[in-house]
Amino acid sequence: MRRSSAKAPASAPQTAAAGADFPRSAPAAASAEAPAAPPAAVPVDTAPRQQMRTEFPFELPRGYVDDSGTVHKDGVMRLATARDELIPLRDVRVQENPAYLSVVLLGRVITRLGTLAMVHDGVVENMFASDLAFLQDFYRQINAEGHTRAAVECPHCSEPFEVELGGSRLGES
């Protein structure tokens, strides 16, 4: 960093003509000149801003049955963060069994399930396999820009249609 050599000595008293009302770093000449032009008008974006959607409702195919026998089907899942995907990797259960990763991860991103006070990995590990598969697929869909579909064209009739690339169940591609 370069220092300016035009600095007034610290012992020199400032007078009103030298700009005593301004801090030392402000140029004294600016007060003697004509007022500066107002800053150029910043263009105002009149288009409505699109809110980013971070929570997605879902309905389980079967539903989670709690200890009292109540079935919980409707819930909400939020988008995952990098932290959500990294923290479970430190979990001993995940280190011993990598398949447990999805259980811990889903326990972090499901924010509501029926009338349960709290959703955690213990709830997810007690879900039916079909509900777990549904939630894994739903997680992939919302964290991959909302869907895993691609527009294609039939090679025979040239009719356009969409295909699901992610598969709907574990083991499918």
Side-chain angles (χ1 to χ4, degrees):
M1 184 182 337
R2 299 175 80 186
R3 292 188 182 201
S4 171
S5 60
K7 209 175 193 185
S11 61
Q14 286 191 347
T15 62
D21 294 335
F22 294 103
R24 284 193 174 184
S25 62
S31 63
E33 293 179 7
V42 177
V44 178
D45 186 11
T46 57
R49 290 187 182 213
Q50 216 174 28
Q51 294 275 332
M52 183 173 161
R53 188 172 172 199
T54 59
E55 292 191 327
F56 300 84
F58 63 84
E59 184 175 326
L60 294 175
R62 297 196 187 234
Y64 169 73
V65 182
D66 66 16
D67 294 334
S68 66
T70 305
V71 178
H72 304 273
K73 284 186 136 190
D74 61 316
V76 175
M77 184 184 293
R78 66 173 173 78
L79 289 177
T81 64
R83 182 181 194 96
D84 290 323
E85 294 199 349
L86 292 171
I87 286 181
L89 297 176
R90 291 189 234 152
D91 192 304
V92 175
R93 298 167 296 182
V94 174
Q95 291 173 353
E96 290 175 357
N97 182 2
Y100 205 76
L101 175 63
S102 66
V103 171
V104 177
L105 185 55
L106 289 170
R108 293 182 60 85
V109 298
I110 297 172
T111 58
R112 186 180 63 77
L113 183 60
T115 58
L116 294 176
M118 190 172 134
V119 182
H120 49 80
D121 53 8
V123 170
V124 177
E125 71 183 356
N126 286 307
M127 289 183 173
F128 295 110
S130 58
D131 288 335
L132 178 62
F134 168 83
L135 288 170
Q136 289 169 329
D137 186 47
F138 189 66
Y139 175 90
R140 277 189 226 92
Q141 287 179 17
I142 69 171
N143 285 288
E145 295 298 322
H147 63 81
T148 55
R149 292 183 298 274
V152 295
E153 188 176 286
C154 176
H156 302 290
C157 66
S158 299
E159 186 69 28
F161 64 98
E162 288 186 345
V163 294
E164 183 70 35
L165 298 176
S168 60
R169 296 290 174 247
L170 291 175
E172 292 182 1
S173 55

